[in-house]
Amino acid sequence: MRKELRRWAEILRERALAQGLSFPPVLFEEVGPEEMAMLAAYGGFPRRYPHWRFGSEYLRYRETYRYGLGRVYELVANTHPVHAYLLKGNTLLAQKLVMAHVYAHADFFQNNLAFKPIPKDMEAEMAHHAAFVERAMERYGARSVEEFLDLALSLENLIDPHALYIQRRAEENTEERPPDRLRVRPYLDPYVNPPPEPPREAEEGANPTPLPPRPTRDILGFLARHAPLAPWQKGILEIIREESLYYVPQAATKILNEGWATFWHTRLLLPLLSPEEALEFAELQAGLLAPHGFNPYRLGYLLLREVEERWDKGRFGPEYEALPLGERLAYERPTGLGLKQLFQVRTVHTDLSFLDTFLTPEFALRQRLLSPEDLPRFAEAKKALLFRLTNGGYPIVELVDANHGNRGELLLEHAYEGVELDLKKTQAVLENLHRLWGRPVHLKTVVGGKETLLSAGS
Amino acid sequence: MRPIERDLLRFKEIVRGEVKKKAREFLTREELFGQVEGRLVSIPLPQLELPKIVYGEPLGEDLGLGGPGTDSLGPAGHVPVAELELEEFLDLVGEALRLPRLRPKGEGEVTEEAFRYTTIARKGPRGLRHVRRTLKESLKRALITGEYRSEEPLLVPEREDLRYKAPRSKPRPHAQAVVLFALDVSGSMREEELRLVKTLSFWITLWIKRHFPRLERRYLLHDAEAWEVTEEEFFRAREGGGTRLSSALLLAEEILKRYPESFYNRYLYHFSDGENWQGDTPVALEALRRLLPTLALYGYAQVQGPYGQGRFLEDLREALGKEEGLAATEVKGKEDLPLALRRLLGG
């Protein structure tokens, strides 16, 4: 890395630490557009398992850059130390902005509670996964492994996003994971601790404890343990599950995390700008915060600024809440608690709870997200927005019974909330599930207002 | 190879496979017709998407509060599109439909002098003066003679400094071709038949062009008489009077005189419902006997009209069926297109 950049990285790091951010060491690396396209396609990591969809993504990023339609300025991986990539050829100011931005991301990864159970050595994990899949391809044929990956990837959202946060009581664990099992990486588990397969056509009453013991959203995990598959196939299911879980907190905090990083690069950099740089900074910032479409940077940044201002001016608490809308905008009771509140928000919230708590009609009016005539529909609009953020925008599906009708069939249930499923895609997924499970598969959902059972294989 | 390149290759391989699988479908996709003059072809490939359980509708349009758009969180609803180079696309479709490779016929291979201005000369026309080289010479001279002063770096080229771009001729073998489309517009050809003709002539043009990049195209219409038209007029539906197939062949013969067979691979395509005036068929066959040996191919496609089928196809096969360079076929509907196309290209 250039000397000048290294000097600035150090300056910005010290300023960030002095203002209360805390983060592990950050390694910056400058990369060219092709390598950046590769890293972006690989979700921020230099090595992933072989799959064509990475190639497709790579092509998309590469062409987007080539035709000047957009560029990836920066990529950060949540690892220890944090790996951050800067696009070679950007101006010094752009790189400074990105570095300040990255320090805030690193702080967010380290301190936001949603990231607590996320492994910090994911770079190594991803490489292990790649090696595992490559070996499987050598042994069982690239095509058959690829086909299985296609199948497994169509199930990648059938996970329990809270799986990493749940601490089961010991005796609950014993049923599915006897204590004599060896602890290994999950995708190696089927080799080291092969599980018993479930009864195919069970006798009446032969299986007194239902499987799964209670409805579960961890469908990938369940299949990895119980589907009649070869160990390498179970290993792949575990890999897909683990990587999916890894990206859950990132998706769930996109608005907050980008808002936080934007807030901090602005705060750290503004006082350091030379007059010549000020104009370029304003341009970069305007591009980043452009109001067209949905822009997580913009929404997150504006809302964090709102929180800072409200807490600085004491616009919170029962006295404030009791005021009518018109008077709230003028209320002032200076406390200077803004920054403290921001750190609190950064620690405890995800996008869902962040917007639920702080997205107020006052804010919507002030930022012109809403016209005064539309005010009565604010609650409805907010609800719609929160719904989209729930479960990453995916429908919530549970596995209810793996021995449905006592015939070893799978019964899934969609928690219907008023929005119907895409039937064509859902059917295709059910066919995939059927191929994995080997027995018929059913999904209970609502179609055309009526409860419906979608099936595959029966 | 870097792993990402391996993933990219595999992706392209899958796209190619899909194109081949869908080749027949592409034949009749008129939205392709527009883009094909360019270099890239965009192909929608929904089957390349990994299906997931997602919501069927975009989640509630809200009141400008802004929600995840199509490219961020939430189920995105875009159809993946792959882009292919036109040549590669054609080769894939050609392979899938088993279209024959076209070969330059006899002397159709032309060696032409391609001039390229790759050298520098001291003499030449003004228009070819090489400014940079001239100034460079001028600078050299000024430095040597000591006239150059860096505080006032003015260069005035003198006669001896002038340099010109000069051609170096390089003979390059180049096959060229001409394709002539003739369409029978007597009463019986309608929208639907015209669409089949359009599809066929579109793909014929592309395929010939794939083999002979230097391709000239001519179009003519006929009922009882024949006249030459532009490409646009060719595909405009219209109705005429009676039919004399010979009129088209005679006009074609006339037009093709400008494309001597020693320099051109000459293709003649003729679309008709086959209902010819009784006395005309011998005349038409006679004209064809003269023309056939000079053509790379004479393609005759008999399109089924609303009033049934004429009998020119039979007459043609009877009379000239054994001749080389005759490609005759009939097209009753869309489903006949792949085979008809192959036949018309000599396969």
Side-chain angles (χ1 to χ4, degrees):
Chain A
M1 205 167 68
R2 286 177 284 153
K3 212 167 154 193
E4 180 75 352
L5 267 190
R6 220 175 296 147
R7 193 170 70 83
W8 274 105
E10 192 49 33
I11 293 173
L12 291 165
R13 192 181 76 91
E14 276 166 18
R15 288 179 72 87
L17 292 173
Q19 302 221 21
L21 298 183
S22 58
F23 43 83
V26 178
L27 298 177
F28 289 104
E29 193 182 330
E30 276 191 295
V31 298
E34 298 228 332
E35 200 169 352
M36 193 63 111
M38 173 201 86
L39 288 160
Y42 277 165
F45 293 93
R47 188 149 148 67
R48 296 292 294 275
Y49 56 82
H51 194 261
W52 56 264
R53 104 191 138 144
F54 296 128
S56 153
E57 283 291 290
Y58 172 63
L59 190 67
R60 195 167 64 81
Y61 282 115
R62 219 177 58 179
E63 301 299 278
T64 307
Y65 177 82
R66 195 159 70 153
Y67 296 116
L69 299 174
R71 51 172 62 188
V72 182
Y73 275 97
E74 143 258 356
L75 265 179
V76 200
N78 173 21
T79 51
H80 189 111
V82 170
H83 273 273
Y85 303 93
L86 310 175
L87 185 62
K88 228 180 245 171
N90 277 341
T91 61
L92 179 61
L93 176 74
Q95 305 293 44
K96 282 195 265 183
L97 185 150
V98 167
M99 288 190 296
H101 195 90
V102 164
Y103 284 128
H105 277 319
D107 168 80
F108 195 89
F109 290 146
Q110 175 156 299
N111 295 294
N112 182 281
L113 291 177
F115 288 88
K116 275 285 171 287
I118 294 296
K120 294 291 184 183
D121 56 348
M122 210 51 194
E123 219 153 275
E125 286 304 310
M126 293 285 190
H128 286 312
H129 294 172
F132 181 89
V133 174
E134 278 161 14
R135 271 184 71 95
M137 284 186 160
E138 272 166 37
R139 284 198 192 172
Y140 307 105
R143 289 299 155 260
S144 58
V145 174
E146 181 183 63
E147 267 169 38
F148 189 79
L149 272 172
D150 286 352
L151 216 104
L153 284 168
S154 81
L155 311 175
E156 75 179 339
N157 60 337
L158 300 181
I159 51 168
D160 183 351
H162 307 114
L164 298 174
Y165 308 86
I166 299 168
Q167 310 254 327
R168 294 230 179 276
R169 282 180 313 189
E171 79 266 25
E172 279 187 282
N173 258 334
T174 51
E175 201 257 318
E176 279 197 29
R177 302 231 160 193
D180 57 343
R181 308 195 124 215
L182 297 167
R183 286 179 58 85
V184 288
R185 293 181 196 284
Y187 60 91
L188 295 174
D189 197 60
Y191 294 90
V192 183
N193 304 307
E197 279 184 16
R200 291 310 197 86
E201 298 259 358
E203 294 279 317
E204 195 82 39
N207 195 10
T209 44
L211 193 68
R214 69 188 67 74
T216 178
R217 291 173 64 182
D218 187 8
I219 298 170
L220 264 184
F222 180 88
L223 292 170
R225 285 191 289 282
H226 297 292
L229 296 169
W232 68 266
Q233 293 172 313
K234 295 186 174 192
I236 284 181
L237 290 184
E238 277 293 358
I239 284 173
I240 302 295
R241 173 177 178 269
E242 200 172 294
E243 297 195 359
S244 269
L245 284 172
Y246 172 79
Y247 284 108
V248 165
Q250 289 194 16
T253 59
K254 176 94 176 149
I255 298 168
L256 188 53
N257 196 354
E258 293 302 356
W260 181 250
T262 305
F263 176 87
W264 279 102
H265 81 233
T266 310
R267 193 177 162 106
L268 293 175
L269 215 53
L270 264 185
L272 301 176
L273 295 180
S274 67
E276 304 86 64
E277 284 176 324
L279 187 66
E280 196 195 336
F281 180 83
E283 260 179 62
L284 283 170
Q285 194 81 337
L288 193 70
L289 298 179
H292 49 71
F294 173 73
N295 182 343
Y297 294 81
R298 178 182 173 82
L299 184 57
Y301 176 69
L302 292 179
L303 199 49
L304 283 171
R305 290 290 299 270
E306 167 87 1
V307 171
E308 185 192 26
E309 191 189 346
R310 277 182 59 195
W311 260 258
D312 269 341
K313 295 184 173 171
R315 291 178 182 164
F316 59 90
E319 192 188 327
Y320 169 79
E321 306 283 345
L323 294 173
L325 191 58
E327 287 172 44
R328 284 188 189 183
L329 295 170
Y331 182 90
E332 209 149 318
R333 172 173 60 95
T335 63
L337 288 173
L339 203 55
K340 194 170 164 234
Q341 174 67 8
L342 283 187
F343 276 103
Q344 164 97 357
V345 166
R346 168 269 262 151
T347 305
V348 302
H349 283 289
T350 61
D351 288 346
L352 198 59
S353 61
F354 175 52
L355 294 181
D356 191 22
T357 311
F358 300 106
L359 183 60
T360 58
E362 298 97 284
F363 173 77
L365 275 181
R366 195 131 53 111
Q367 296 300 338
R368 300 212 178 86
L369 302 176
L370 206 65
S371 64
E373 306 86 74
D374 278 334
L375 203 56
R377 289 162 68 201
F378 173 79
E380 188 195 328
K382 180 170 169 177
K383 195 177 153 200
L385 176 57
L386 294 183
F387 183 64
R388 291 205 218 175
L389 294 171
T390 303
N391 198 37
Y394 287 120
I396 293 175
V397 176
E398 281 191 330
L399 172 63
V400 178
D401 190 358
N403 187 25
H404 180 57
N406 206 21
R407 289 191 299 270
E409 300 179 3
L410 284 189
L411 177 65
L412 278 57
E413 207 171 311
H414 164 218
Y416 177 74
E417 299 271 3
V419 185
E420 293 185 4
L421 302 178
D422 180 321
L423 289 183
K424 218 172 133 198
K425 290 178 185 167
T426 302
Q427 192 60 44
V429 171
L430 291 181
E431 307 288 344
N432 282 352
L433 262 174
H434 170 236
R435 281 170 64 197
L436 273 186
W437 186 248
R439 302 275 309 146
V441 176
H442 314 276
L443 172 69
K444 206 189 276 180
T445 182
V446 173
V447 179
K450 269 187 272 177
E451 191 157 283
T452 308
L453 199 64
L454 306 174
S455 298
S458 54
Chain B
M1 195 195 318
R2 291 156 75 215
I4 195 71
E5 298 292 340
R6 163 202 68 192
D7 294 344
L8 181 59
L9 276 184
R10 180 61 192 135
F11 171 66
K12 288 187 168 170
E13 215 175 296
I14 292 173
V15 170
R16 285 189 202 106
E18 291 297 333
V19 170
K20 281 166 86 169
K21 227 192 281 172
K22 301 227 140 191
R24 284 166 167 266
E25 236 174 77
F26 285 128
L27 272 193
T28 52
R29 276 214 190 150
E30 292 192 29
E31 71 268 19
L32 278 177
F33 293 11
Q35 32 176 323
V36 143
E37 286 293 331
R39 215 169 49 83
L40 290 174
V41 191
S42 294
I43 304 148
L45 294 163
Q47 63 276 28
L48 269 191
E49 206 176 20
L50 294 166
K52 281 192 195 153
I53 297 185
V54 292
Y55 291 116
E57 49 193 279
L59 294 185
E61 278 308 306
D62 29 58
L63 305 162
L65 281 184
T70 47
D71 58 350
S72 54
L73 307 164
H78 73 287
V79 175
V81 169
E83 288 200 325
L84 279 183
E85 302 269 334
L86 173 59
E87 296 201 341
E88 191 178 10
F89 173 70
L90 275 178
D91 285 347
L92 291 169
V93 173
E95 202 179 315
L97 298 178
R98 293 188 288 131
L99 300 183
R101 297 253 147 222
L102 304 179
R103 285 178 203 292
K105 184 188 170 225
E107 297 300 311
E109 183 124 352
V110 188
T111 304
E112 81 176 14
E113 304 273 302
F115 288 103
R116 294 201 156 187
Y117 291 94
T118 50
T119 57
I120 300 291
R122 283 170 170 263
K123 279 184 186 146
R126 256 179 109 89
L128 285 176
R129 195 177 287 169
H130 196 304
V131 179
R132 265 190 66 225
R133 291 295 289 264
T134 301
L135 287 175
K136 206 170 154 189
E137 292 301 323
S138 189
L139 178 63
K140 261 197 233 165
R141 187 179 43 76
L143 284 171
I144 290 165
T145 59
E147 281 169 31
Y148 184 78
R149 287 182 301 141
S150 55
E151 60 275 19
E152 201 189 331
L154 181 68
L155 291 173
V156 184
E158 295 195 1
R159 191 178 193 116
E160 56 186 298
D161 302 333
L162 299 180
R163 292 294 182 275
Y164 299 87
K165 293 172 204 167
R168 175 190 283 166
S169 83
K170 210 175 160 191
R172 319 174 84 211
H174 231 316
Q176 54 189 346
V178 57
V179 58
L180 205 157
F181 291 104
L183 174 59
D184 172 4
V185 292
S186 61
S188 34
M189 284 275 233
R190 295 180 318 169
E191 280 290 339
E192 211 183 313
E193 291 83 54
L194 214 56
R195 176 161 301 148
L196 294 174
V197 169
K198 187 173 182 174
T199 307
L200 278 175
S201 56
F202 169 79
W203 286 99
I204 287 170
T205 307
L206 273 184
W207 192 247
I208 296 179
K209 201 165 177 175
R210 173 76 190 90
H211 296 84
F212 305 102
R214 295 163 54 87
L215 176 68
E216 299 214 29
R217 282 173 278 175
R218 306 290 288 264
Y219 298 88
L220 63 88
L221 300 176
H222 75 91
D223 43 28
E225 297 298 326
W227 65 99
E228 191 173 356
V229 294
T230 63
E231 185 179 356
E232 278 164 38
E233 278 176 276
F234 187 75
F235 293 113
R236 218 172 282 152
R238 87 269 313 146
E239 293 200 9
T243 310
R244 268 209 315 247
L245 292 172
S246 66
S247 67
L249 295 167
L250 292 172
L251 180 57
E253 200 172 14
E254 208 41 48
I255 294 173
L256 286 174
K257 277 189 184 146
R258 293 191 45 202
Y259 303 92
E261 47 170 322
S262 49
F263 292 109
Y264 286 89
N265 291 271
R266 316 197 303 175
Y267 290 86
L268 172 58
Y269 287 96
H270 197 169
F271 304 100
S272 164
D273 64 357
E275 296 210 50
N276 201 14
W277 274 357
Q278 256 186 343
D280 185 62
T281 298
V283 187
L285 291 175
E286 189 44 47
L288 264 181
R289 270 197 194 93
R290 281 197 309 277
L291 263 173
L292 258 183
T294 75
L295 296 175
L297 267 179
Y298 169 69
Y300 174 72
Q302 187 155 297
V303 184
Q304 173 147 307
Y307 318 115
Q309 192 110 325
R311 44 168 295 115
F312 187 71
L313 184 68
E314 282 168 52
D315 295 338
L316 183 64
R317 280 183 174 151
E318 223 166 81
L320 299 167
K322 292 191 186 95
E323 299 290 320
E324 208 180 313
L326 176 74
T329 187
E330 59 187 318
V331 195
K332 290 184 185 131
K334 253 169 45 172
E335 59 288 348
D336 295 335
L337 284 173
L339 184 65
L341 184 60
R342 193 191 312 158
R343 291 270 178 277
L344 287 176
L345 291 165

